[in-house]
Amino acid sequence: MPSTLVKICGLSTAETLTAAVRAGADYVGLVHFEKSPRHLSLTEAARLRQLVPPQVKVVVLVVNPSPATLAEALREVRPDVVQFHGQETPEALARFRSDTGVEAWRAMGVRDAESLAEAARFHRAADLLLFDAPASGLPGGNGTRFDWSLLGAYKSPTPWGLAGGLTPANVADAIRLTGAPLVDTSSGVESAPGVKDVDKIAAFCKAAQSA
C-alpha cells in the first residue's frame, strides 16, 4: 500500500517551507486570501515558490478569486495546483482546468453523509476533492475536525484528501480510520495562528508517513 501523501498548508516563511520540504512533504500550500492569518501577497508567494524543489508540488489556495487575480497567481507563482476554497462551481473548475492545464482541487466542508453526496457534482470537474470541516469564520485552517467515520467506506472516482483538525498526535489514527490517500494540515502544526512550528511540521510528516 503506498504511503499517504502529505500537504503542509499556510506556509509563510523560508524557514518553515524548507522544514516542510526536508520533512518529506509532497505538497506545500501558499494562501492568497487577505482575511487569513496565513495570507501571502502574490509577490511573497512567488519568492517562496523559488525555494521549492521540483519533486515537491506547490499549491496556491484561493477563495472566490477574480479572473484577474487567478491569472496573476498563475503568472507570478506558477503553481502546480490551485486549491479552490470558496463557492466555485463545477463548471468554473472544469473551465479553469481546460484553459490552463493546471490541477484544480476543490475543498468541501463535510457535515454529514449528504455533504459527501454533494461532492459527486465535482467528480469530472476537479482533480482532487479535499474534505474539510465546515467553514467557521475562515474557509479553512480553523483547526476543527468533522466525523471522520463518514469516510470509512467512501469510494470515489476522483482522488481525495482529508483536512480539518489534523495534528501530529491524531494524523495516524485519521489515516487508519479513513484510508485517506492525502492528508493536509495547517493550524495543526502551528504555535499561534499563522505561525508554523518546524518541530511540529517534522512530527506531522513522520506520523503520516509511518501510519
Side-chain angles (χ1 to χ4, degrees), residues 32 56 67 87 100 114 124 154 160 166 187:
H32 183 64
V56 178
Q87 284 78 50
T100 67
E114 289 183 13
R124 284 184 291 274
Y154 182 69
W160 62 277
L166 293 173
S187 61

Side-chain angles (χ1 to χ4, degrees), residues 24-134:
D26 302 283
Y27 296 87
V28 291
L30 309 175
V31 175
H32 183 64
F33 180 55
E34 290 186 359
K35 294 181 180 179
S36 171
R38 304 162 189 94
H39 169 69
L40 295 173
S41 70
L42 292 177
T43 299
E44 292 169 327
R47 192 174 301 126
L48 287 180
R49 200 263 182 269
Q50 295 175 0
L51 304 176
V52 182
Q55 73 271 20
V56 178
K57 291 191 174 184
V58 174
V59 181
V60 168
L61 186 154
V62 292
V63 181
N64 302 318
S66 68
T69 296
L70 202 48
E72 185 181 359
L74 293 177
R75 184 175 64 251
E76 296 295 324
V77 186
R78 297 176 294 107
D80 300 290
V81 179
V82 174
Q83 180 178 319
F84 293 90
H85 236 287
Q87 284 78 50
E88 299 87 4
T89 64
E91 294 76 18
L93 262 66
R95 187 165 55 249
F96 169 82
R97 292 170 67 205
S98 175
D99 290 348
T100 67
V102 175
E103 273 193 50
W105 293 5
R106 181 64 158 82
M108 309 285 295
V110 177
R111 295 183 185 279
D112 48 33
E114 289 183 13
S115 302
L116 294 178
E118 172 75 4
R121 298 191 303 126
F122 289 88
H123 281 333
R124 284 184 291 274
D127 291 284
L128 181 140
L129 299 174
L130 186 63
F131 296 123
D132 200 347

